[in-house]
Amino acid sequence: MTSPGADPVRLAVAVEAPLHSGLHGPLDYLSERPLSPGALVRVPLGRRDVPGVVWTTAPGDDEGHALKAVTEVVDALPPLSARWCDLVKFTSTYYQRGLGEVAMAVLPPELRKLDNAGLASRIAKLRKAYDKPVPAAPAPVRPELTSDQADALAKLAEVNLPGAAPVVLLHGLTGSGKTEVYLRAAEAALAAGRQVLVLVPEINLTPQLEARFAERFGGGDTPRRIVSLHSGLTPAQRLKNWLAAHLGLADLVLGTRLAVFAPLPRLGLIVVDEEHDPSFKQQEGARYSARDLAVYRGKLEGSCVLLGSATPSLESWQRAEQGRYLRLTLANRVGGGVLPKVRLADMNLLPKVRGATTALAPALVAALAKRLERGEQSLVFLNRRGYAPVLHCTDCGWKSGCPHCSAWRVFHKGDRTLRCHHCGFTQPVPRACPDCGNLDIAPLGQGTEKLEEQLAAALPGARVARIDADTTKHKGALEASLSAVHAGEVDILVGTQMVTKGHDFRRITLVAAVNPDSALFSSDFRAPERLFSLLMQAAGRAGRDAAQADRSEMWVQTWHPTHPVYTALRQHDFKAFAASQLKEREIAGLPPYVHLALMRAEARTPEAARDFLQAAADLAAELPGANELLLYPPVPTTIARVAGVERMQMLVEASSRPQLQRVLSPWMAALPSLRATHKGVLRWALDVDPLAI
């Protein structure tokens, strides 16, 4: 509150205004004293008191007396840095979301609830805990570097000078020791008194990598403090770790995409592991790419950004080809191991009988049996959970569609349910066809449950385990399953793509991909890139122990064995695959040679969604620079209806980012004016640089 005799200071404060309110920038408030940008405050907004971040000191005018006053200054927390504010501002501007929306979304929920006294108490407890000495631990044992690793680190040291902010693409085969390069680079940054941020694509990879970093940096004469940031933490844990990062108490922060916004006052290195992974793209709210923001943040902080992958995204690969990124290569596996030999099981050679589409190739079964005889492990993955994608009636053709979505309900045999994986609608399996009463309703297609059953029947006595979203939904289930695999208690591991990347399974010598062909003919132009990456990552799970590498194999069951994706896979030739894909995209005018935005609309009817998008296109056509853009007609999304809501999308294309941004900003500001005439529209959202179309 302002005191009667004080001259109030006018402040611009970033607060989360209601969506589509048109209030995208900071709002003005009065304060009894100047506050630094980045300070946390509580301010009135409508009838509520909401948290906000001081953005700037706003210029005064004659209407200053009408402004509301700041309710509380949360000065127990040091202000967020100017570089953090710049990162949030860029995210807001580039991805076309409200400044306050982004600023509040990237702060811990618990922080937004606490008053000054409550936060001061939390900080005092945290400092007291960090003042306690770290228990003594033996000094870490560092493995001897391979020649590839030594060369990469030497070149990294040459370019990673103070303030240089290089972006380095570490292209290394699976099993080539990329993690050791991360550890050594982090070691150098920590020795210089800097902090390190490590981003991973998925929560289930965070504990594994955290253990590697704790083993390396948790002991010796100068043990380091390591914290994690991801959505799997409780609100209290997330706030504690966020505060440790912001106060400079934590030396290393490991996390998923949201951790790119972790405030780190001494940031010296950013590592993005598996930088190609689509999980780095946020799909709700501000649809940002954490990988791209990591690159931008590196420039803001003057810090090195290390992007690592065995199958880099084509965008990163092209920038390395152009010389914008430094590319370092790890061309050999640690220990001299070789990559698994890729074998294709041609499904066209199987007898043409009912059910052949979900059969296991005899050659694959024989290869699995050989592993069992030798006491080795195998990994068989199918990127579809459940028992079968659909139930159908052999008499009338009924299928288990979802009444609320334009999708099938998946048959889960374990609990005898039909579940929609889009809206969650679940029902028991009917005893007879709902349409004609026929008792012969049968599963169509194959999921991981059925695959697990088939393998157990084909290989009696084999210990088959399954890891997917259904078996790991309970706390600790994933860790327990992985521990069983590492301990040798599993002969054949069945799973979705969650088991194909990042895991160091030392006993697995065979990996098999069952029916991955659907991605070959997808309407999404990125589908071949994602499939090749997934198969290369999966192949890398085999033969990670050099002693077994010479007999490691990858099997792919396919109906299209001559497809170029499989040809490149057999040679483990990412460079050739990337070159052919980039050439195709250049000819077709696709990213990274053009720049896209996708406007999505959700409405009660498809007509309402389409009319809104068409009106939005007409609005865009009137803006300066619109003649430089190409707006495609509205079309339904791949799954057109979810939970009773109809969804349409409209693609916007430009030859450069500046061209696109010049139109997007005024366009988004004008769109709320359409609500009055398009009341059937429930919501809309813009996705800049969309990953899926």
Side-chain angles (χ1 to χ4, degrees), residues 167 316-327:
V167 181
S316 295
W317 187 262
Q318 185 212 34
R319 288 167 190 155
E321 292 282 278
Q322 294 172 337
R324 295 164 61 187
Y325 294 175
L326 171 66
R327 184 167 64 219

Side-chain angles (χ1 to χ4, degrees), residues 371 376-377 507-511 542-543 548 551-553:
R371 266 61 190 181
E376 297 168 1
Q377 292 177 320
R507 304 173 189 226
I508 286 179
T509 59
L510 183 145
V511 172
Q548 300 175 332
R551 59 178 182 269
S552 63
E553 291 180 337

Side-chain angles (χ1 to χ4, degrees), residues 260-281:
V260 75
F261 294 100
L264 294 153
R266 309 187 316 277
L267 184 58
L269 173 68
I270 304 175
V271 175
V272 184
D273 189 29
E274 309 293 358
E275 66 88 28
H276 67 278
D277 199 291
S279 298
F280 282 121
K281 183 69 187 286

Side-chain angles (χ1 to χ4, degrees), residues 574-596:
F574 175 79
K575 291 183 180 180
F577 173 78
S580 65
Q581 284 288 300
L582 285 171
K583 187 64 177 176
E584 287 183 15
R585 291 193 188 181
E586 185 176 19
I587 293 171
L590 293 169
Y593 299 98
V594 299
H595 301 276
L596 304 177

Side-chain angles (χ1 to χ4, degrees), residues 97-110:
R97 303 295 292 197
L99 178 65
E101 177 195 359
V102 175
M104 292 300 105
V106 303
L107 294 177
E110 195 80 354

Side-chain angles (χ1 to χ4, degrees), residues 5 18 30 70 123 136 156 204 229 251 279 327 363 366 421 542 584 595 627-628 631 692:
L30 296 179
V70 170
I123 292 175
L156 186 61
N204 63 53
L229 285 173
D251 299 303
S279 298
R327 184 167 64 219
H421 289 175
E584 287 183 15
H595 301 276
N627 60 325
E628 299 175 333
L631 276 74

